[in-house]
Amino acid sequence: MVAYVETGGGKPDVVTVRGVALLRCGIPAGEGWLAKWRRSRRFRALRRRGIRFAILPPAYAAEAAKWAIRPLAPWPVRQMAGLRLLESRRGTLAALRAPRLSPAVEEAAMALCRGFRYVRLDVPGGEALAYGLLRRFGVGGAPPGPPSLTVSFGGAPSGEELCLGEDCARFQQAEYAPVPGLGPLPQSEALLYVLWQAGAVKGEEIVIKSITSLP
């Protein structure tokens, strides 16, 4: 079971969201020694209940880690929704940057080829991919000049890029269209990830409304 940790009081309680059970647990806010001690007791209690992963406020991730409770990394749902977002983009020149080839990188390249006349690849070992895109879509060597869209699968973005790699949450924040039936918990990317992994929310229900860069 995954815990949903939030600031507040009350005893831990199991809530069901779209048929998926989560352990909802409140923890005290604050930086004083008493608040930290109380949070430690809560995290210890969660660990004793077998909790290994949690949706929790980022400010308390380090304290939870002391009890071997890890925050969820919801980048796979961002990547899934981001790849679907590419299907609607159109333009002349797009760029794709990745540290290595992967199925997601290849999927992104094909999506870009459907909407752009040229796709510039910056992927080590991507020669075979470029040749395949040329044969299948007729999209090849890119002309000079800045692309209208750049998709990145790793590292800090350079200018206006859409980050879809495992570290995407470090650089950008995604806003999603409301998904019905998530009460009593507020919608968040991490919650969508848990429900998507459990099959309780379908991929087509998860729609990115906007992407904003983090400071």
Side-chain angles (χ1 to χ4, degrees), residues 70-149:
R70 298 171 56 190
L72 289 168
W75 65 266
V77 77
R78 173 92 61 96
Q79 188 174 94
M80 178 275 299
L83 289 173
R84 292 178 52 241
L85 185 65
L86 296 182
E87 297 289 347
S88 63
R89 298 298 298 267
R90 299 290 184 270
T92 301
L93 172 60
L96 178 61
R97 182 171 64 85
R100 60 187 178 277
L101 284 172
S102 70
V105 170
E106 295 182 8
E107 184 177 346
M110 289 188 289
L112 293 174
C113 284
R114 296 185 182 99
F116 289 81
R117 185 176 179 184
Y118 302 100
V119 176
R120 180 185 298 155
L121 296 181
D122 182 10
V123 185
E127 293 79 7
L129 174 61
Y131 180 69
L133 296 176
L134 179 61
R135 293 192 59 184
R136 181 174 178 179
F137 299 100
V139 176
S148 57
L149 172 64

Side-chain angles (χ1 to χ4, degrees), residues 26 38-39 47 50 72 94 102 105 111 116 133 148 152 172 175 210:
R38 288 175 175 172
R39 287 196 296 269
R47 177 66 181 184
L72 289 168
S102 70
V105 170
F116 289 81
L133 296 176
S148 57
S152 170
Q172 295 177 340
E175 181 185 357
S210 64

Side-chain angles (χ1 to χ4, degrees), residues 5-23:
V5 179
E6 59 189 347
T7 55
K11 295 181 178 180
D13 186 32
V14 175
V15 296
T16 301
V17 182
R18 284 210 175 188
V20 178
L22 298 99
L23 182 62

